Amino acid sequence: MASRARVRAPELVGAGGWLNTGGRELTLADFRGKITILDFWTFCCINCLHVLDELRELEEKHRDTVVIVGVHSPKFVHEADHQAVVDAVARYEVHHPVLDDPALVTWKQYAVRAWPTLVVIDPEGYVVAQHAGEGHAHALARLVEELEAEHAAKGTLRRGDGPYVAPEPSAGDLKFPGKAVRLPNGHFLVADSGHHSLVELAEDGETVVRRIGDGQRGLVDGTGTDDTGTDGTGPRFSELQGLALVPEGHGFDVVVADTVNHALRGVRLADGHVTTLAGTGRQWWQGSATEGPAREVDLSSPWDVAWFDGRVWIAMAGVHQLWSYDPATGTVAVAAGTTNEGLVDGPAAEAWFAQPSGLAVSADGERLWVADAETSALRSVSRETKTVETAVGTGLFDFGHRDGAAGQALFQHPLGVTVLPDGSVAVADTYNHALRRYDPASGEVSTLATDLREPSGTVLVDGDIVVVESARHRLTRLRLPEEAVRVESVAHRTRRAATEVAPGALRLDVVFEAPNGQKLDERYGPSTRLLVSATPPELLVSGTGADSDLSRELVLSDEVAEGVLHVSAMAASCDDDPEIEYPACHVHQQDWGVPVKLVADGARRLPLVLAGME
């Protein structure tokens, strides 16, 4: 086995304390003898949620030798709230200890620069690997097997149960509901995300009429819960979110964004029959098909759906794009976005989004409104011109609760939008626990209601508005107020410290080491890709654009005091064994938004670790 650098792991410190340990406070000493994988995550981040799913198999297979420790490191102010972290750990079924680090103390000690980042610590307490982004599960599995063999031989491996203690289960008809629609009969159909099922509620929004799905995580078609699905169970979903009614004549009445299954599902209301419409159950990666027969194309965390311009439009949060599904042809295709994460307006094919998570169509059908969560923005797509415009929001790192003129108003990670009868737009301002309103006629933003708990969607009902209070596990009906609520303005920027760099030449190095037993896949051309841009664009004098080299010379302006470098890297590695006829290949990818501050004596090299050790 190749030798590895040995760096002593810093202590794990977080002011929020530990979750999933039965109240016990842990230190690194408690993990001695185990292979420890630190997962630096934040619950707003779709890539972090992907990694939670990637780690489940590894966690189960090596549960007697491996301990995964989530280090929750917030981006948004709301994510520094301890109760919000408790809710997120329950919402996403995190079955390992989690350290709540609201001040990013441990993040800084481990020199982490991106969500998600995985750090591997060997049984003797040394850091042996670091991986940023997604797609590293295979590499981690190989490394774990090597460390098991090495430390079993040395006598330093300790087998047995880890420190995880399951929390008390919660009772209730709904568990972290995502979104809802009103059915023709006046009932509500709710995406009961935490129970992996659909729930039909009566007009009171409380009484359960029926449940579609057997409550278990899975991708199974079928009818109801009394009959059986294709594998002998009832139909199954996995953390479903968005719902939309579709016109008659397509064989289904409601389309569902089945988020963690990376699929669209169709539901026939007459009997509750569920059919997979689009997606393979596999997550989309760079290089995968972007159009074609819907059941043969991979999707990535669809979060919401809406019927717009004769098709189902999809908020594809996992790849920062909008896609569309045409039930007439049974095909899917990219409709807007480049997969780059950020806020860039313009022609749909050139626009950038950042985790689009809510969709709503204007009354005249001419505009699709988009809640762009990670930029805390309200965006829209014109049906006629296919251009993207931003109504509210400035970028990835500015957020808050500020009313007034749209150009200076602020949201905080909104997840839902609904068009109101007067043409204005209600925004479920999720991390501000508020319902906001944007009026296109006046260009003003106001607050309609506060003291909600992580509102994620809304439904209009006879002049009232029903809010899906996800973290209160309920629907709440509100009378739309005639006057706005007065709220003290607050503005925030990301809690991450800016990296001090010097103006002029800056060497950017993305560090990537193929896992043991693998090599870069050069069979069909370059196996790596690096894309660089900046906010504001004037920050970069040269060095923007895409290339295959993972190192690049940038030139920073001496006239810009601060900004953000946007770096997207991808590398493909395959089994390095000539005896294997069809080698397994794996894609590793990560997007970094690196806040930088330009100072005369700043760094002239910026290393970013995709996989390996710097």
Side-chain angles (χ1 to χ4, degrees), residues 558-588:
D558 57 5
E559 297 181 359
V560 178
E562 60 181 3
V564 179
L565 288 174
H566 303 283
V567 181
S568 177
M570 184 273 289
S573 62
C574 296
D575 291 335
D576 185 13
D577 185 345
E579 299 299 318
I580 300 177
E581 183 177 1
Y582 300 105
C585 297
H586 304 273
V587 177
H588 317 260

Side-chain angles (χ1 to χ4, degrees), residues 320-387:
H320 317 298
Q321 291 179 308
L322 304 180
W323 287 42
S324 69
Y325 164 69
D326 186 345
T329 61
T331 57
V332 292
V334 173
T338 65
T339 76
N340 297 319
E341 183 179 16
L343 192 152
V344 176
D345 289 343
E350 301 172 13
W352 292 21
F353 294 91
Q355 263 178 249
S357 300
L359 301 175
V361 181
S362 61
D364 60 7
E366 291 299 312
R367 189 166 297 275
L368 179 69
W369 292 99
V370 183
D372 204 26
E374 278 295 289
T375 54
S376 298
L378 176 63
R379 322 272 302 275
S380 68
V381 182
S382 165
R383 186 190 67 82
E384 180 179 358
T385 65
K386 298 296 187 294
T387 56

Side-chain angles (χ1 to χ4, degrees), residues 35 61-62 140-150:
I35 301 161
K61 184 176 180 180
H62 299 274
L140 286 173
R142 287 197 172 206
L143 178 57
V144 163
E145 291 172 357
E146 293 172 4
L147 290 171
E148 285 177 339
E150 175 185 344

Side-chain angles (χ1 to χ4, degrees), residues 16-84:
W18 289 87
L19 305 177
N20 285 352
T21 63
R24 181 184 172 195
E25 295 293 310
L26 302 176
T27 68
L28 271 178
D30 294 300
F31 305 110
R32 190 62 57 84
K34 297 285 191 181
I35 301 161
T36 305
I37 300 175
L38 304 183
D39 176 16
F40 288 87
W41 70 299
T42 189
F43 62 77
C44 73
C45 163
I46 192 67
N47 310 93
C48 299
L49 303 185
H50 290 167
V51 167
L52 282 175
D53 289 314
E54 286 180 5
L55 293 175
R56 294 187 197 278
E57 182 178 349
L58 180 72
E59 192 170 28
E60 177 63 31
K61 184 176 180 180
H62 299 274
R63 61 171 51 254
D64 66 332
T65 58
V66 172
V67 175
I68 295 173
V69 175
V71 182
H72 189 268
S73 312
K75 171 187 174 182
F76 291 98
V77 169
H78 170 60
E79 293 174 305
D81 174 11
H82 181 69
Q83 183 57 48

Side-chain angles (χ1 to χ4, degrees), residues 1-209:
M1 183 174 64
S3 61
R4 288 182 290 267
R6 287 170 62 83
V7 178
R8 177 64 71 176
E11 189 53 81
L12 303 178
V13 179
W18 289 87
L19 305 177
N20 285 352
T21 63
R24 181 184 172 195
E25 295 293 310
L26 302 176
T27 68
L28 271 178
D30 294 300
F31 305 110
R32 190 62 57 84
K34 297 285 191 181
I35 301 161
T36 305
I37 300 175
L38 304 183
D39 176 16
F40 288 87
W41 70 299
T42 189
F43 62 77
C44 73
C45 163
I46 192 67
N47 310 93
C48 299
L49 303 185
H50 290 167
V51 167
L52 282 175
D53 289 314
E54 286 180 5
L55 293 175
R56 294 187 197 278
E57 182 178 349
L58 180 72
E59 192 170 28
E60 177 63 31
K61 184 176 180 180
H62 299 274
R63 61 171 51 254
D64 66 332
T65 58
V66 172
V67 175
I68 295 173
V69 175
V71 182
H72 189 268
S73 312
K75 171 187 174 182
F76 291 98
V77 169
H78 170 60
E79 293 174 305
D81 174 11
H82 181 69
Q83 183 57 48
V85 181
V86 172
D87 289 342
V89 168
R91 179 193 298 270
Y92 298 116
E93 299 180 359
V94 179
H95 294 161
H96 50 249
V98 173
L99 175 65
D100 181 11
D101 182 20
L104 301 179
V105 174
T106 297
W107 166 286
K108 294 171 186 174
Q109 285 292 305
Y110 281 82
V112 174
R113 294 183 183 273
W115 297 279
T117 292
L118 300 167
V119 176
V120 182
I121 302 172
D122 73 12
E124 295 178 286
Y126 289 91
V127 175
V128 293
Q130 181 172 323
H131 302 269
E134 305 177 51
H136 302 294
H138 180 74
L140 286 173
R142 287 197 172 206
L143 178 57
V144 163
E145 291 172 357
E146 293 172 4
L147 290 171
E148 285 177 339
E150 175 185 344
H151 288 275
K154 291 173 66 175
T156 50
L157 183 68
R158 176 169 55 88
R159 295 183 179 273
D161 293 337
Y164 169 69
V165 178
E168 290 294 324
S170 58
D173 292 326
L174 300 179
K175 181 180 179 183
F176 299 109
K179 300 183 188 296
V181 293
R182 196 181 188 202
L183 300 177
N185 63 1
H187 292 181
F188 298 94
L189 190 66
V190 183
D192 192 9
S193 182
H195 287 137
H196 312 296
S197 61
L198 290 165
V199 176
E200 183 177 341
L201 301 179
E203 292 183 67
D204 61 7
E206 296 180 3
T207 304
V208 175
V209 176

